[in-house]
Amino acid sequence: MHVNNSAESRSISVFTSKLTPAADICVGLAILSIAVLSVLGNGLVLLICYRRRKKMVSSELLCVNLAVVDFLCCICFYPLSILSSFHHMWLGENVTCVYYGLGCFIFGLCSMLTITAISIIRYLKTCYSWVYAVWLKGANIWIVCCGIWLVAVVWSSFPLFGWGEYVPEPYGLSCTIAWRRYHTSVKDAFYVICSFVFFTLIPVFLIVVSQWQILRKVSRFSYSLSTRGIRSNLHHAEKRLSMIFFCISLGFVIAWAPYAVVSFLFIFHKEHWYMAPGGFVFPTLFAKSSHIYNPFIYFYFNKTFQRELRCLLLSFCSKLGTNQVGVYSAMGHQAPYPIHIQLQERGCIQNENFPQDSIHTKSKDKATHTNSNLVQGRPVFTCWASTSKKAPNILVNKPPENSPPVSL
C-alpha cells in the first residue's frame, strides 16, 4: 500500500507544473499566440497554394509540405499544452503525454527533413542544374515528401517499442523524448545518440553547407554580370528565391538551436537540477516559434504570394456589399461623351447597355436629372458623363465597343 501511494505521488509530481501559476498562464498565452499566428499564416499559404495549384512547380511541393506540418502541429497538439498550462498540470498524464510527445516529434522531424531537402534541392538547382533537370521532377518530389513522412513516423515510433520513452519536460507542461534515458540502458542510449546525430547534427550541417554554396554561387554570378553591365530579370528572381529559402533555413536552425543545446546537455546529467525548470521553458517556446515566420518570409519576398494575397483580400472585400465605380473611356472623336462613369453596387452584373432614362440632359444652368436602372434587382446609377462643347446633349445608349470598364 505504501509502495502504491509513493508511485502515485511520484507520477503526480512528474505531471505537475514546476512553475508559478502566473508563469503557467504566461506560457499558455505564449503558446496560444504562436498557435493562432501559425494557423492564420500557414492557412493563408495553403489557401494561396490551392488557388494556384495548376501553376505550381514541383519544388514548391516541399514548401506546401512544410506549411502542412506547421498547420497540423498547432491544430492537433498545441491545444493540449495550452489547456495544461492554464490548469497548472499536464492533463491526461501518461496517455496524453505519449500522444503529444509522439506527434510533436513526428512533425519536428518532418520540418527538419523538409528544410534539409529544400536546401539540397536548391543547391543542386543552382550548382548542378542538369541533375535537377533530370532527376528532380514532379513525381520524384512526391517521393521525397512521402519518404520524409515515412522516416519521421518510423523513427518516432521506436519509443513505443522500448527504444526510448516519451516523458514530461522538466517544467511539467510539455512532453518529449526522455533524453536522460541515455544512462539507463544501451537501447535508450543508442536511440538518443542516433536522434541527435542523424536528425540534428547531419541535417544542420547539410543545410549550412548547401546555403553557403548557394550564396557563394549567386554572389559570383551577380558580380560577373555587374562587371559586364548586364541586368537580368530572371537572375533577379532566382536571387530572390534563394534568399527566401536561406531565411527559412536560417530561421529554423536558429529557432531550434537553444533547445538542441539544452537537450544535449541534459543527456550527460543524471539529474536535471543543473538548470532551473524555468530555464527549459524559453528554449521550448523559442523552438515552437519556428511555425510562425515562414508565412511572413513568403509574403515579404515572394511577389507571387503578395499578388495572390491581394487578390484574395479583394475578392473577400467584394462580398461585403461595397459599391463599384466603372469608368468607360470612349476612343473615337465622334463620341459625344468621351468619359462615362457608372456607379454600380458590388456583386451586380454590369449592364452592357446604358439605360435610356439614366441621365437625360445637362441644361444651360448645369442642372442634371438622374434616374436609376435595376440590374438583378439592384440599382445601377450613371452618375457623371463628360461632354464636349460641340457635342449634342444626348446620352449614348451604350459605350463604344473598344472601351472596357476600368475599376476604380
Side-chain angles (χ1 to χ4, degrees), residues 124-125 128-141:
L124 294 176
K125 184 177 181 180
Y128 301 96
S129 57
W130 62 273
V131 176
Y132 177 86
V134 173
W135 295 103
L136 298 175
K137 297 180 181 179
N140 293 333
I141 298 295

Side-chain angles (χ1 to χ4, degrees), residues 13 33 116 131 145 371 399:
S13 65
S33 302
T116 305
V131 176
C145 292
N371 292 319

Side-chain angles (χ1 to χ4, degrees), residues 75-367:
I75 289 291
C76 299
F77 303 106
Y78 285 2
L80 183 59
S81 181
I82 295 168
L83 293 176
S84 298
S85 300
F86 292 151
H87 284 81
H88 312 297
M89 64 175 296
W90 185 259
L91 301 178
E93 298 187 357
N94 190 59
V95 175
T96 55
C97 186
V98 173
Y99 164 78
Y100 184 89
L102 175 64
C104 289
F105 198 44
I106 289 174
F107 285 105
L109 293 182
C110 280
S111 296
M112 177 65 78
L113 296 176
T114 300
I115 292 179
T116 305
I118 289 174
S119 299
I120 294 174
I121 289 174
R122 291 297 307 168
Y123 168 72
L124 294 176
K125 184 177 181 180
T126 305
C127 301
Y128 301 96
S129 57
W130 62 273
V131 176
Y132 177 86
V134 173
W135 295 103
L136 298 175
K137 297 180 181 179
N140 293 333
I141 298 295
W142 275 105
I143 293 174
V144 171
C145 292
C146 293
I148 287 172
W149 281 96
L150 180 62
V151 171
V153 170
V154 170
W155 186 257
S156 301
S157 302
F158 273 70
L160 303 179
F161 303 100
W163 294 70
E165 186 182 3
Y166 291 110
V167 297
E169 297 270 12
Y171 61 94
L173 295 177
S174 182
C175 292
T176 186
I177 291 293
W179 304 114
R180 282 191 300 144
R181 294 291 295 270
Y182 173 82
H183 303 279
T184 59
S185 67
V186 176
K187 291 193 301 182
D188 294 341
F190 175 80
Y191 185 78
V192 168
I193 294 300
C194 288
S195 296
F196 262 101
V197 172
F198 293 106
F199 297 102
T200 302
L201 297 181
I202 292 179
V204 168
F205 174 77
L206 293 175
I207 290 171
V208 171
V209 172
S210 299
Q211 295 298 330
W212 169 253
Q213 293 294 329
I214 291 170
L215 292 178
R216 188 162 165 255
K217 181 69 177 289
V218 171
S219 62
R220 283 186 174 181
F221 190 65
S222 299
Y223 178 75
S224 63
L225 289 180
S226 62
T227 55
R228 300 176 185 177
I230 301 175
R231 296 184 63 183
S232 174
N233 292 332
L234 182 62
H235 176 66
H236 180 71
E238 185 69 19
K239 187 176 180 180
R240 180 180 288 270
L241 195 59
S242 299
M243 184 60 64
I244 292 175
F245 292 116
F246 173 76
C247 292
I248 292 173
S249 304
L250 182 65
F252 186 85
V253 172
I254 291 176
W256 280 93
Y259 183 80
V261 171
V262 170
S263 300
F264 186 75
L265 295 176
F266 200 36
I267 293 176
F268 301 103
H269 290 78
K270 293 184 179 180
E271 299 294 336
H272 62 268
W273 300 112
Y274 77 98
M275 182 182 292
F280 293 89
V281 175
F282 296 104
T284 304
L285 293 179
F286 201 51
K288 293 181 187 299
S289 68
S290 64
H291 302 299
I292 297 176
Y293 53 76
N294 286 343
F296 292 99
I297 294 174
Y298 297 145
F299 294 129
Y300 182 78
F301 285 103
N302 197 321
K303 292 184 178 180
T304 302
F305 272 81
Q306 295 175 8
R307 185 168 59 252
E308 291 290 339
L309 179 62
R310 194 178 301 114
C311 293
L312 187 64
L313 293 177
L314 289 175
S315 64
F316 174 75
C317 293
S318 67
K319 298 178 182 179
L320 298 180
T322 57
N323 292 331
Q324 180 182 18
V325 178
V327 178
Y328 291 87
S329 178
M331 306 301 292
H333 294 286
Q334 298 178 356
Y337 295 94
I339 299 177
H340 194 96
I341 296 181
Q342 184 181 19
L343 177 64
Q344 179 179 0
E345 187 176 346
R346 180 73 73 176
C348 300
I349 298 177
Q350 196 166 12
N351 192 13
E352 293 182 359
N353 296 327
F354 289 112
Q356 296 180 0
D357 57 345
S358 293
I359 184 170
H360 292 290
T361 60
K362 181 178 287 188
S363 59
K364 294 181 181 179
D365 58 354
K366 299 182 180 180

